Amino acid sequence: MKDRLKLQETLGMIDPSLLLRPETVYEDKPVANFRDYTIDDNDPIRERVRRTYYTMHTNMTVDFVQSKMDKWLKFNHFKASMKEALYKMNELVDESDPDLDLPNIVHAFQTAERIREDHPNDDWFHLIGLIHDVGKVMAFYDEPQWCVVGDTFAVGCKWGKNIVYGDDSFKDNPDSYNHKYNTLHGMYQPNCGIENLMISWGHDEYLYRVLVHNRAKFPVEGLWMIRYHSFYPWHAGGDYAHLTKREDEKIKEAVIKFNQYDLYTKSTVVPDIDALWPYYEGLIDKYIPGVLEW
C-alpha cells in the first residue's frame, strides 16, 4: 500500500476540470460507474478546484493568451523525445489531485489501448490517445497549473454559457468589461471558423503547436483531437455556433470520437506498460520521431 501511495505521489496527476464538467454529450454512457463529482463547498479538494478555475477565468485575457503564445511558440524551453516528455509529465503532482488510485501514465495507456481495441487499423489514433495530455509539461517551466490544465474556452468574445462556473468566475476578468471583447462576436467575424478563434492557453494548444512545429506525421483528424479535446463549451456544450462554420462539424466529430476514450477508459485494470512500450515506441518513431523542440 505504501509503495502504491508513493507511486501516486510521484506520478499522479489529474486535470481539475474532470471534477465539474457537464457531460451532456455522453449521457448515454454509464456515468454512474465513474466518480461522483458534485460540487461541495465543504470539500477542500473541490474548493481547490474551484479556486483553480476562478484564477484561470480571472487572468485568461486576450493579452494574457497572446503573451503565452509569444513565450511558448518559440519552442526553446527544452529538447526531449516524446517518450521522455511522457515520463517528465508524470513527475508532476497536481495541486488539485483528488487522490486517484492510478497515475496519469496508466490513464494514457488505458486510453491508447482502448482506442487500439476499437480501431486496430488506425495506429496513429492509438498514439494520439497516449500523448494527448503531454502538453502539461509546461508546468515544469514556471507556469501555474491554472494555465496548463482544465477546460478551454474562446477569449475575445462573450464568455460561453457552458464554461465551468459560468459568468460569476469571470467577474474580475478585465475583458468582461472591454467592449472590444464582451459582445457576442467580439473581435471575430460571424462564422469565422473554429481555427480562427483564440482559445484560452493550455496544454491542448501547446501540444498541437509542438506537433506541427516538429513536423509530426499525424493525419489532420489527430491534430484536431489534440487541439480541441478540452474545448468542452464548444464540443459538449454547444457554445460558439455563431462563430463556427459548417466545415467545423468534421472537427467536432473527430474530437467527440476521441473524447469517449479519454473520459471513459479509467478502471482498476492496469495495463502492462513495460510490455506495451515497444509497440508505442514504434509508433513514436513512425509519427513523431527523434528529439523534439518544446
Side-chain angles (χ1 to χ4, degrees):
M1 180 65 176
K2 290 182 179 179
D3 290 341
R4 187 180 184 85
L5 292 174
K6 184 176 181 181
L7 181 64
Q8 287 177 231
E9 180 180 345
T10 303
L11 299 178
M13 180 178 180
I14 187 170
D15 181 335
S17 66
L18 294 177
L19 299 177
L20 298 164
R21 163 189 297 154
E23 297 303 346
T24 56
V25 168
Y26 304 105
E27 285 177 348
D28 61 331
K29 297 291 183 179
V31 294
N33 293 341
F34 297 85
R35 295 186 58 163
D36 180 5
Y37 293 134
T38 53
I39 300 172
D40 183 352
D41 293 341
N42 297 314
D43 187 316
I45 294 175
R46 292 192 175 107
E47 277 305 291
R48 284 198 298 270
V49 174
R50 188 191 297 265
R51 286 194 297 271
T52 296
Y53 272 100
Y54 270 69
T55 305
M56 178 197 300
H57 295 170
T58 296
N59 290 282
M60 199 66 70
T61 63
V62 170
D63 288 345
F64 179 85
V65 175
Q66 187 61 61
S67 73
K68 293 304 172 185
M69 293 174 71
D70 291 343
K71 173 182 177 180
W72 284 99
L73 302 188
K74 294 181 175 67
F75 307 105
N76 59 357
H77 293 274
F78 66 100
K79 294 183 179 182
S81 69
M82 184 58 71
K83 182 177 181 180
E84 291 169 334
L86 276 162
Y87 273 117
K88 187 175 183 67
M89 182 188 70
N90 281 291
E91 297 169 6
L92 179 64
V93 176
D94 193 311
E95 295 171 357
S96 297
D97 192 336
D99 197 27
L100 287 180
D101 290 330
L102 300 174
N104 187 252
I105 199 165
V106 174
H107 166 58
F109 274 96
Q110 286 174 331
T111 303
E113 282 294 285
R114 182 62 181 274
I115 293 170
R116 185 181 177 187
E117 179 182 340
D118 288 354
H119 302 274
N121 298 322
D122 296 329
D123 60 358
W124 61 269
F125 195 8
H126 312 163
L127 186 57
I128 290 292
L130 188 71
I131 70 172
H132 69 278
D133 279 339
V134 177
K136 293 176 184 178
V137 295
M138 287 187 292
F140 289 101
Y141 297 88
D142 300 320
E143 289 296 355
Q145 291 189 21
W146 55 260
C147 71
V148 173
V149 302
D151 288 4
T152 59
F153 50 91
V155 299
C157 62
K158 185 176 178 63
W159 310 117
K161 293 181 180 179
N162 289 285
I163 300 174
V164 173
Y165 292 115
D167 291 340
D168 184 67
S169 59
F170 288 97
K171 64 182 182 297
D172 294 323
N173 185 309
D175 283 2
S176 296
Y177 311 99
N178 187 327
H179 294 309
K180 291 166 54 180
Y181 306 135
N182 66 3
T183 62
L184 184 65
H185 294 94
M187 65 183 188
Y188 306 109
Q189 294 297 315
N191 304 115
C192 61
I194 188 173
E195 292 178 289
N196 289 312
L197 301 183
M198 181 180 287
I199 308 299
S200 57
W201 185 251
H203 66 284
D204 291 23
E205 184 69 17
Y206 176 54
L207 180 57
Y208 164 76
R209 298 292 192 112
V210 167
L211 294 177
V212 171
H213 174 73
N214 287 282
R215 298 181 175 85
K217 301 171 184 177
F218 293 112
V220 66
E221 291 86 353
L223 297 177
W224 290 339
M225 292 170 179
I226 292 293
R227 193 177 195 183
Y228 299 114
H229 73 269
S230 299
F231 194 18
Y232 277 82
W234 170 63
H235 66 71
D239 293 346
Y240 310 112
H242 58 292
L243 296 174
T244 57
K245 55 188 179 181
R246 183 179 302 174
E247 292 81 359
D248 293 341
E249 288 303 306
K250 294 180 181 179
I251 300 177
K252 182 181 288 188
E253 288 174 8
V255 175
I256 292 174
K257 179 180 178 179
F258 167 75
N259 270 65
Q260 62 181 309
Y261 298 104
D262 184 16
L263 292 169
Y264 297 110
T265 55
K266 293 180 180 178
S267 72
T268 57
V269 178
V270 179
D272 187 342
I273 293 175
D274 289 339
L276 292 172
W277 260 126
Y279 174 73
Y280 286 97
E281 285 179 299
L283 297 188
I284 290 171
D285 290 341
K286 180 177 180 179
Y287 289 104
I288 184 68
V291 176
L292 312 178
E293 295 178 337
W294 297 79

